[in-house]
Structures are given as C-alpha cells and as structure tokens.
Amino acid sequence: MEGIVVKSTGSWYIVRQENGKRIDCKLKGIYRIKGLKATNPIAVGDHVDFVLSEKEKTGMITSIAPRSNYIIRRSINLSKQTHIIASNIDQAILIVTLAFPRTSTGFIDRFLITAAAYHIPVKIIFNKCDLFTGELKEHFENLQDIYIQAGYDCIVVSATKKINTEAFKNLLKDKTSLISGHSGVGKSALINAIEPSLNLKTAEISLAHLKGIHTTTFAEMHELSFGGFVIDTPGIKELGLIDFKKEEISHFFPEIFKHIHQCKFNNCLHTHEVQCAVKRAVESGEIGQSRYNSYVSILNGDDLGVEEWELK
Ligand code: GDP
Ligand code: ZN
C-alpha cells in the first residue's frame, strides 16, 4: 500500500493513504542500518510503501520513493549529520512585509537562491498591503517590479483586511507548500484567513547562519480542506545553507543568468571585469540594483547582519 508521511515523531510515522485515512507506521529495521548520513531516514512528505500488520491497526514501511527535493537542517553537533525536515515540496511561499517587520531584499534574495538550489520554486506574497500608502506604496511598486522582472510570481494580499486572499488560496490548492518568512509577517493570519480550522504554529524559517537554539520538534504536513498541504515546521529556525561555488551564484539569479553568456570573459564574475553584460543590464535597469547588490554580497561571502535575520 502507498501513502505520504504527514507526521513523524522519530519512531512512529503517520502515513496518509490516498483515501485520506491515516495509519501509524513503523519503519522496517533494514532502513536504520543503511548508513545514511541523515539522522532521520524518513521525513514528512516522503512517499512510502507499507504493509499492514496482522491486526491492520498499524503498518510497516517497506520502501521510500526517491525524493524530488528536500530541505535539511544541519545537526546540532558537529557530526556532519543532517536532518531532513521535509521532502517533495512543490513550492515555498515566501511571505514578505515592507514594514512591521521590514523584510530586507538581502533576506529575500538569499532565500530565493537557497530555495532554487534545493529545487524548490518560490512564490512571493507581499502581505499587509492595507499599509501600502505614500512612500511604502512606492517602495512596494519598485520591489514588485524587480521580482516580476526577475521572473517570480508575486501576489499582494492583506490577511486581516481579507484583500486578495482568494488568490493566496488558489496558489496553495492541490500543492504541498512550505510557508516561510520572518516572524510577524502574517503567516498564521494568512493561513487562518483561508482555512480557519487550521491553527498553525508557523515558526519562522530563515536561512540564517545563526547558531540558534534547535528544538527537536518535527515538521508536520497539514491537509487543506480544499486540496493540498502546508508544511509546518515548529521550532526550526534555520535551513542548511548551501555552499555555493562563486561561478554558480549567478545561475540562481534568473535575470542575471540571462545575460552572462554575453560577457566578454566566460569566467566573468560581473564585478570588476570590462565588457560585462550583467553590469550593462544593471545600468539599463533590466536587473534591479538591489538584486545585483545581493549577488555581490553573496559572492563576497557576506553574512547578513544578525538584525537582518532575527526573528522580529
Ligand atoms: P506570523 O508570525 O508570521 O505567523 O505572523 P502573525 O500571523 O502572527 O501576524 C503578526 C501580526 O501582524 C498580527 O498582529 C497580525 O494581526 C498582523 N497582520 C497580519 N496580517 C496583516 C495585514 O494584512 N495587515 C495588517 N495591518 N496587519 C496584519
Ligand atoms: Zn559579466
């Protein structure tokens, strides 16, 4: 029989069968000794095969289908082990606010490239649009232009004023979505606006290097009544950051990548080189200045200041 792991407690897994029924499963011993680097052999989102026990009350997982992607968190100790948080994610929903709290472009861009490296497409949601007046409105319009130009889908909503929340709902429908963004941007408010029965504890997912406190909570997939799942990751404040090779970084900025083949040098890093098509595109406005700044900052290995990453 087949199903999806929707919750893990470390030794038991709750598997959702296609008919919606849930069954507690254990893992067949063999997987434990396979020398996997990950501390957990099975993660939320995994597609598994299982057999029913004699009494048909519980199941035994016998195999795991290959994962289309997964997100990891580094282990607490230095054993180089990783912990797989969740797998088979269709999209990450990055919720952004321009104020209360401010989400910096540096944070957004690091999130985008890290998700891209994990093979997870990102949709950008600007929340709290009821506050977009005056300068904030201008700032929003500039930002939205930059990300649309970069090829990202953007949606503008207000959770509390229920503006455009239907579009947010449509985005989640029939997909498995990771909900991300700083604490306070309205993740819970947005989910509750479209699915009041779900009382999410959505902790922040940042991509920080912060040596935050790791709690041993497990991710959980919540089913949406209109189809689809959202992944809740309580207590997880950090995704394993990817170590990018310098020449690779531009590949994860879609609008920068478009230009790199027109550079004079094929190993151009788009900083000091002459006849650089990327720098030309920044000057002509085809690439947003803030995006280029993020690119250079990541290239230089700059860490964002702690404030940029902090929870509030
Ligand atoms: P989370 O930490 O990302 O889950 O954020 P919450 O959902 O807890 O929201 C944080 C605060 O922002 C709460 O006080 C919400 O009422 C407020 N908030 C959420 N959405 C909106 C919005 O669209 N407009 C305004 N003005 N406030 C909002
Ligand atoms: Zn160049």
Side-chain angles (χ1 to χ4, degrees), residues 170-301:
N170 289 336
L171 201 63
L172 299 186
K173 188 171 158 41
D174 299 332
K175 300 240 165 72
T176 297
S177 307
L178 182 74
I179 310 289
S180 328
H182 286 313
S183 163
V185 296
K187 295 183 292 297
S188 319
L190 261 171
I191 298 286
N192 292 338
I194 54 139
E195 186 81 286
S197 61
L198 262 189
N199 206 355
L200 281 203
K201 299 175 290 294
T202 58
E204 171 186 27
I205 290 207
S206 74
L207 301 167
H209 269 309
L210 292 180
K211 305 279 179 287
I213 304 153
H214 299 277
T215 48
T216 29
T217 42
F218 290 88
E220 185 168 352
M221 259 168 62
H222 297 282
E223 199 162 343
L224 299 166
S225 61
F226 50 88
F229 296 92
V230 287
I231 300 171
D232 191 17
T233 56
I236 294 167
K237 298 196 178 8
E238 178 180 325
L239 289 183
L241 267 191
I242 309 276
D243 292 322
F244 292 99
K245 293 199 194 89
K246 276 192 186 307
E247 59 278 12
E248 245 176 34
I249 297 169
S250 62
H251 301 193
F252 294 105
F253 283 79
E255 80 282 38
I256 293 181
F257 183 64
K258 253 192 347 214
H259 292 92
I260 64 173
H261 301 293
Q262 270 79 56
C263 293
K264 179 175 160 95
F265 304 107
N266 63 11
N267 59 351
C268 186
L269 287 176
H270 326 298
T271 51
H272 60 278
E273 297 90 343
V274 293
Q275 296 183 38
C276 168
V278 169
K279 282 193 285 179
R280 270 201 305 270
V282 175
E283 274 157 33
S284 72
E286 280 176 81
I287 295 171
Q289 184 67 48
S290 67
R291 294 275 290 164
Y292 180 72
N293 294 351
S294 291
Y295 164 77
V296 172
S297 154
I298 293 164
L299 190 71
N300 291 337

Side-chain angles (χ1 to χ4, degrees), residues 37-76:
K37 271 205 199 113
T39 51
N40 57 328
I42 294 193
V44 160
D46 278 347
H47 294 251
V48 296
D49 276 324
F50 66 94
V51 291
L52 286 176
S53 70
E54 273 170 32
K55 289 178 192 151
E56 304 213 337
K57 289 236 169 72
T58 60
M60 185 72 83
I61 295 171
T62 53
S63 70
I64 309 164
R67 299 171 173 129
S68 66
N69 59 31
Y70 54 86
I71 52 172
I72 60 164
R73 150 166 90 73
R74 294 215 172 98
S75 223
I76 307 152

